[in-house]
Amino acid sequence: RFAKPLTPMTPAISRRPWFTTIAGTLVTLLMCGSMFYLTPSNQATEALPTSRPSFQAVVELDKHFGGSTSAMILVEWDAPLAFDSAEVLHAVDAVQRLAVAHPDVRNPSSIVSLIRSLPGADLPLERQAENLRWGSDEQLKNYVRPELRRALVHLRLQEVGSTAHLATFEDLRREF
């Protein structure tokens, strides 16, 4: 059924094999050259029919939890500073506030979020951080690695494809 429209071209192709070979090679080279201008966009839902429960689950994750995709921002600091020092905490807080201000970012969390969930909301951040001593090191490792002088700000992103997030990441990089 697909070959039927090509049947009238068969004699012309057979009479000119070199022309057909050269034309096919040129078309192939043009197509290969175009691949350098393509940008992949990975999206978990692209292969799912919209009527499937798995697709609906991703939609619910996006709606209720801020997104089914996650990203992280790494904050690093110099050796003499402790992770619970005012300078480090305020830097992480500034990064988290920048992330919150971006329209595509949802529910950022960091060591600052953990500290703010502890008692003492009326205290300065570094004083409130003293309550971290009551938590476990395992809880802290989700947000900060003091021995590496690194902290993470976790972000939630909606399932719109990786290409759409490139602009978000570029905006955040520029603002930092």
Side-chain angles (χ1 to χ4, degrees):
R1 143 179 130 170
F2 294 109
K4 200 171 198 175
L6 298 176
T7 305
M9 295 172 44
T10 305
I13 293 171
S14 303
R15 284 191 305 266
R16 298 179 188 88
W18 284 106
F19 174 76
T20 305
T21 303
I22 291 170
T25 303
L26 288 174
V27 168
T28 302
L29 289 173
L30 284 172
M31 297 305 255
C32 287
S34 71
M35 75 179 184
F36 293 108
Y37 298 99
L38 299 175
T39 305
S41 181
N42 299 324
Q43 189 170 355
T45 56
E46 68 187 352
L48 297 174
T50 56
S51 61
R52 301 297 301 162
S54 49
F55 182 88
Q56 298 304 321
V58 172
V59 170
E60 289 299 311
L61 282 170
D62 282 351
K63 185 167 44 170
H64 295 293
F65 297 107
S68 57
T69 306
S70 61
M72 293 179 237
I73 300 172
L74 178 66
V75 180
E76 297 178 301
W77 63 89
D78 293 328
L81 298 174
F83 80 93
D84 56 354
S85 67
E87 295 90 348
V88 172
L89 292 176
H90 289 295
V92 172
D93 189 37
V95 167
Q96 187 168 335
R97 275 189 270 120
L98 275 173
V100 166
H102 200 282
D104 292 338
V105 173
R106 308 280 192 280
N107 303 332
S109 62
S110 68
I111 187 70
V112 172
S113 307
L114 179 63
I115 292 168
R116 287 193 174 136
S117 70
L118 299 172
D122 55 329
L123 296 173
L125 195 57
E126 55 276 8
R127 288 272 324 280
Q128 196 178 4
E130 294 171 7
N131 290 324
L132 288 174
R133 68 176 179 254
W134 303 109
S136 72
D137 288 342
E138 289 304 312
Q139 290 172 319
L140 283 179
K141 283 188 178 181
N142 289 324
Y143 298 107
V144 66
R145 297 292 301 269
E147 71 279 8
L148 300 174
R149 295 182 313 278
R150 292 179 174 172
L152 290 174
V153 178
H154 299 267
L155 313 174
R156 303 300 303 163
L157 303 164
Q158 291 192 330
E159 175 59 32
V160 292
S162 59
T163 304
H165 295 311
L166 290 176
T168 301
F169 298 148
E170 201 51 48
D171 288 348
L172 289 172
R173 256 189 224 105
R174 216 178 3 262
E175 292 174 20
F176 295 140

